[in-house]
Amino acid sequence: MSHFTEAQKFIAGGVNSPVRAFAGVGGEPVFIRSAKGAWLETEDGRRLIDYVGSWGPMILGHGHPAVLEAVKNTADNGLSFGAPSLIETELAKKVCEFMPSIERVRMVSSGTEATMSAIRLARGHTGRDKIIKFEGCYHGHSDSLLIKAGSGALTLGVPSSPGVPAGLAEHTITLEYNNAEAVRQVFDEMGPEIACIIVEPIAGNMNMVPPVEGFLETLRECCTDAGTVLILDEVMTGFRVALGGAQSLYNITPDLTTIGKVVGGGLPAAAFGGRADIMASLAPDGPVYQAGTLSGNPLAMAAGLATLEQIGVPGFFESLSARTTELVQGLLQIAGEAGVPLTCEMEGGMFGFVFSDDGPIRTFSQVATADVDRFRKFFHGMLDAGIYLAPSAFEAGFVSAAHGDDEISKTLDAARAVFPTL
Ligand code: HOZ
């Protein structure tokens, strides 16, 4: 019996998060036994170069010594207190230093919690119900946000999930990503009713789609004029595309930011934060309630802090970007030689590639009409050649500091063999 069949007997769908099930590519998921640096070892003893990186957190690669040491030392002093500890303040300080738009932060345990809480805070603070999100953006799986969503929802073809009450869904306005005009129109009609806009400043859950010039600026302007809270969801891009996140690259100051993944260094931590006056509406200072037994968990704080300390050293993002550029340029060249239409995006340690001749990809419909069958073939060809990519045409990929010359050249060698077969 395969590991997956066995898992399906006891775990719903055999996985604890849907994209992992390989439903987007066919076949059975690989089961991971261990990971070190840029490499995974599967339960059947294969070694794979990893471009998933636990879906983003592992920016230093797996098992970085400084992170492991911090976690082990912290564990010796206790796993969880449910009471304040100094390491929470230390990590909070780092977050505020790296992302200056965050004046106060609240730690939570997952990106979903961060976005769900930020939405509640925006609603509570403004006294308004309506929110705006964009098609193909994914902000976790809370009710208000699971409407025309990306990531696993898109992979499985259920972007608006059953189970979300219609009465709640009617408060979510979904617009086309990168369509500034549509945003202006909605604000003209009902600006003073809108509590917040939530947006991935670089969309990473419908593959990777950067913002067009003026899009984020329009959101900022409309929000400022209408007293609406602008939430940049940087769960994926925060500390990943640049030290200060996408907001530093595009020079946009949000009212609130959500972060996750890298901030937990591979353990369950995420956060939301922003303007001090808005954060003051949060309990215990204000009336908007939010809480968590394991929020600020010392192990997760230690892993996050050790990770942020490592990525904060000068030159870290320059060399990470250089590595990602090498990978992406290599893929484009190989695809060109094989006559396969491919378009790529990258920023820092994040990349995306779409089998399409319709580049640059800037809209959800461009992603949705790309050649998914070709992606599936590519995915399996690369996996057979020892390269582990995200098992969905709608996810971004991640390069870590542990990906060196050897890993990149092995990856490109594999691509050289696979592209002509597509
Ligand atoms: N939502 C994650 C990708 N954007 C997938 C999480 C997982 O399967 O671990």
Side-chain angles (χ1 to χ4, degrees):
M1 188 191 306
S2 75
H3 296 305
F4 190 47
T5 308
E6 170 86 355
Q8 282 171 312
K9 287 167 66 180
F10 302 101
I11 298 173
V15 287
N16 286 309
S17 191
V19 194
R20 299 178 197 177
F22 275 35
V25 288
E28 294 203 348
V30 285
F31 276 61
I32 308 302
R33 177 194 296 166
S34 66
K36 187 77 194 161
W39 293 81
L40 302 172
E41 190 179 318
T42 68
E43 283 292 350
D44 51 6
R46 296 180 62 211
R47 294 187 76 237
L48 307 174
I49 300 176
D50 180 21
Y51 288 99
V52 177
S54 191
W55 301 94
M58 312 314 301
I59 194 164
L60 302 175
H62 296 279
H64 188 282
V67 179
L68 290 188
E69 197 194 335
V71 172
K72 283 174 186 163
N73 289 343
T74 307
D76 283 342
N77 292 326
L79 298 183
S80 182
F81 313 128
S85 61
L86 289 181
I87 196 158
E88 295 167 72
T89 313
E90 275 187 71
L91 181 58
K93 246 191 228 172
K94 263 282 171 256
V95 167
C96 296
E97 177 194 331
F98 289 169
M99 281 192 181
S101 72
I102 301 183
E103 295 173 332
R104 300 281 188 285
V105 68
R106 171 67 56 88
M107 302 294 175
V108 292
S109 300
S110 72
T112 290
E113 260 188 87
T115 53
M116 176 186 79
S117 308
I119 297 279
R120 183 183 307 134
L121 176 58
R123 283 176 161 153
H125 182 77
T126 57
R128 306 171 182 177
D129 289 338
K130 290 193 190 311
I131 66 169
I132 292 181
K133 75 173 285 291
F134 296 92
E135 189 171 17
C137 282
Y138 177 76
H139 308 285
H141 57 88
S142 68
D143 285 349
S144 289
L145 295 167
L146 213 47
I147 294 158
K148 296 194 179 175
S151 190
L154 195 53
T155 305
L156 301 180
V158 278
S160 301
S161 173
V164 175
L168 191 60
E170 75 188 20
H171 296 299
T172 302
I173 300 164
T174 309
L175 302 177
E176 188 185 36
Y177 188 77
N178 270 336
N179 187 342
E181 200 35 52
V183 177
R184 279 197 197 284
Q185 270 175 25
V186 171
F187 271 84
D188 285 346
E189 274 169 47
M190 55 175 87
E193 293 171 53
I194 300 167
C196 66
I197 294 182
I198 185 164
V199 65
E200 292 179 78
I202 297 172
N205 287 287
M206 49 168 160
N207 208 281
M208 179 172 174
V209 183
V212 296
E213 213 184 312
F215 177 61
L216 297 175
E217 290 80 354
T218 302
L219 305 189
R220 179 65 278 174
E221 199 185 306
C222 289
C223 285
T224 303
D225 291 350
T228 296
V229 176
L230 176 61
I231 306 172
L232 291 191
D233 179 354
E234 298 230 44
V235 167
M236 191 178 279
T237 52
F239 314 123
R240 166 55 74 176
V241 296
L243 189 60
Q247 56 193 268
S248 69
L249 291 176
Y250 294 99
N251 202 19
I252 297 291
T253 306
D255 301 306
L256 294 178
T257 299
T258 55
I259 49 178
K261 300 189 187 281
V262 173
V263 79
L267 287 184
F272 63 102
R275 271 170 43 194
D277 64 315
I278 300 181
M279 294 301 285
S281 291
L282 202 59
D285 290 347
V288 179
Y289 199 72
Q290 184 281 329
T293 298
L294 291 173
S295 293
N297 172 265
L299 262 56
M301 298 296 100
L305 184 60
T307 301
L308 292 201
E309 279 166 352
Q310 295 292 319
I311 68 171
V313 302
F316 179 88
F317 275 92
E318 285 77 359
S319 80
L320 185 66
S321 270
R323 212 44 102 192
T324 315
T325 306
E326 222 178 300
L327 173 72
V328 163
Q329 294 300 341
L331 288 177
L332 283 172
Q333 191 186 331
I334 293 164
E337 285 162 8
V340 174
L342 186 77
T343 125
C344 291
E345 295 294 339
M346 63 141 292
E347 201 64 76
M350 176 172 166
F351 66 93
F353 59 91
V354 175
F355 287 94
S356 167
D357 53 10
D358 185 29
I361 304 289
R362 295 293 177 267
T363 65
F364 170 74
S365 58
Q366 283 176 294
V367 179
T369 52
D371 192 344
V372 173
D373 285 338
R374 198 168 235 166
F375 170 80
R376 290 190 187 113
K377 249 180 128 181
F378 180 67
F379 171 85
H380 280 293
M382 292 297 274
L383 184 57
D384 291 346
I387 312 298
Y388 188 63
L389 298 164
S392 163
F394 303 107
E395 298 285 352
F398 300 102
V399 172
S400 79
H403 287 77
D405 287 339
D406 183 43
E407 284 79 12
I408 300 290
S409 84
K410 282 195 167 80
T411 305
L412 295 178
D413 285 348
R416 232 167 255 120
V418 173
F419 265 102
T421 68
L422 298 177

